[in-house]
Each structure stands twice: as C-alpha cells, then as structure tokens.
Amino acid sequence: QVQLAESGGNVVQSGRSLRLSCAASGFTFRSNAMHWVRQAPGKGLEWVAVISYDGSKKYYADPVKGRFTISRDNSKKTLYLQMNSLRAEDTAIYYCARDLWGDSSYGSPALIDWGQGTLVTVSS
Amino acid sequence: DIQMTQSPSSLSASVGDRATITCRASQTINKNLNWYQQKPGTAPKLLIYAASSLQSGVPSRFSASGSGTDFTLTISSLQPEDFATYYCQQTYTPPLTFGGGTKVEIK
C-alpha cells in the first residue's frame, strides 16, 4: 500500500533553515506530482508547494515563495522541502501528499494520499 | 490568488441527518474543486475530486456538485464516523487554495 513518511521536523530559531523529507513507497514515485501542505496549530489547511513528476514544474504559495524550495529525487523515491529564513508563522505540521496525476497537463490536481505529517516549530 | 469561502464554518447535526456544506470561489474555477475530510490528529483524506467524482473507497452517502464559482458537498445521512472537519480546495490554478473548513459536530 501507499506510504508517505515525513521527517525532519524540529524546533528551530527564527531566521534559520530546515529541510523536510518525505520517503515514498508502495507506488511508482516518478509517475506522480507531489505536494506539501501545512497546518498551523488549531488552524486550517494551507497548500505550500507542488512539483511535477519529473521535477520540471514547481509552484509555491505566496507566503513561502523565495524562501522555500521543493525538490525530489526519483531514484531515492524522496520528496524534499528546503525551508530558509524561517518565521514564527511557518510553525505548523507539514504534510506531503501524492497527486492523482503526473502534472496538471494530465488532469486537475487531487491529493489522493497523505503522510502523517512532521511538526516544525519556529521560535522567536 | 483565488479565495475559497466555505459556509457554514461549523454545523451541529444528529446521526441520520442530511448535511450540506457550500464553497464559493472568488472567480470561476470550472469544475476544479476537491473536498477533503479531516479528523482530529490525523491527515486529511480526499473525498471528492473534479467537483463531483467520488474517490475510491468513499461511501456513496457523500456527494458533491457545482461548477464555476459555487459548489456543494452533501452527506445524505450522517454517520458517527462523519463528524469531522471538511475542506474544499480549488485546483484551477496555483496557488491551490483551501477553504477555511467546516466543522461538523454532533448535536
């Protein structure tokens, strides 16, 4: 079965960097676009970023544009989120999620499988 | 960016009741709209994609409709396991914004 396992969450000071990983198994990783979605404590869902199946297309939410970078290593079946210049408002559980499609040219995105999330806490 | 507005933000209902949640987009998104369910302490789960397509394994008491700017999620007969928070998400264009959520509580 599909498994997505996030790691790398931690307590970090404002202004520092952190890299999250998402290890995938149970499906052909190189065939699907992948997303990061976050949820601040007690708040709703916030979409963060998406990367196409081959890494050629990347899109970001405005609050993280220029600070966060999504990437993937299809040989390692792993998704990454490099987070720089972290702020208190980046504190959240970060989920990785598998898209139904390889990229939006195949179909409208749908996040069909999710990991359990990893907690990032940014202290000021 | 496209803003997604859900209503109500919460609703109280009994087992067996019909529940309806609406989602409005700030501009037309055709049928590029998904619905998710999230229970406390767990990851979200996809219920509906492309406005009205039921994800595999999701009970048929869940249905959805809409296109353009106005969308609806309906639970025909609430079951105990349906008490959760529901989110819509537009996938018409990045950023792929979520609605604020609707918490369905037991009356």
Side-chain angles (χ1 to χ4, degrees):
Chain A
Q1 72 279 23
V2 172
Q3 291 193 6
L4 297 169
E6 302 93 339
S7 61
N10 211 333
V11 179
V12 61
Q13 284 189 320
S14 179
R16 304 297 290 264
S17 299
L18 202 60
R19 188 177 83 159
L20 305 183
S21 300
C22 171
S25 61
F27 66 100
T28 306
F29 181 72
R30 65 178 181 274
S31 296
N32 296 88
M34 297 292 295
H35 300 252
W36 287 101
V37 175
R38 68 185 181 183
Q39 186 168 36
K43 302 297 184 182
L45 301 174
E46 181 181 21
W47 179 83
V48 173
V50 61
I51 185 168
S52 60
Y53 69 102
D54 61 356
S56 63
K57 300 175 187 175
K58 304 175 185 180
Y59 299 96
Y60 298 91
D62 291 343
V64 307
K65 204 173 293 183
R67 300 188 298 123
F68 290 11
T69 301
I70 189 171
S71 63
R72 64 191 298 159
D73 185 332
N74 285 345
S75 67
K76 294 182 178 179
K77 301 180 182 179
T78 303
L79 173 72
Y80 302 101
L81 186 68
Q82 177 67 42
M83 304 186 294
N84 298 333
S85 302
L86 283 161
R87 305 167 180 167
E89 54 264 36
D90 296 319
T91 294
I93 296 172
Y94 284 73
Y95 297 100
C96 65
R98 177 171 79 117
D99 198 320
L100 177 62
W101 308 104
D103 68 34
S104 56
S105 63
Y106 296 98
S108 189
L111 282 60
I112 56 173
D113 295 294
W114 297 63
Q116 286 309 298
T118 188
L119 178 62
V120 173
T121 302
V122 183
S123 64
S124 51
Chain B
D1 297 358
I2 298 175
Q3 309 304 316
M4 305 301 295
T5 303
Q6 281 184 241
S7 60
S9 56
S10 66
L11 72 88
S12 183
S14 301
V15 172
D17 285 352
R18 182 184 187 91
T20 300
I21 299 168
T22 63
C23 182
R24 174 165 289 176
S26 60
Q27 66 184 73
T28 185
I29 58 171
N30 297 335
K31 295 178 73 71
N32 297 288
L33 192 285
N34 302 332
W35 290 98
Y36 300 86
Q37 176 195 65
Q38 186 180 33
K39 297 179 181 179
T42 70
K45 171 187 173 183
L46 178 67
L47 299 176
I48 303 283
Y49 64 97
S52 59
S53 296
L54 196 66
Q55 171 65 355
S56 175
V58 174
S60 59
R61 63 181 179 272
F62 291 92
S63 64
S65 63
S67 66
T69 60
D70 294 312
F71 301 86
T72 300
L73 173 69
T74 300
I75 309 170
S76 60
S77 177
L78 279 165
Q79 299 302 300
E81 60 268 30
D82 300 337
F83 292 93
T85 301
Y86 294 84
Y87 295 92
C88 61
Q89 180 198 28
Q90 69 81 17
T91 57
Y92 180 72
T93 187
L96 308 183
T97 41
F98 286 93
T102 296
K103 186 173 184 179
V104 177
E105 299 174 300
I106 300 174
K107 184 184 286 184

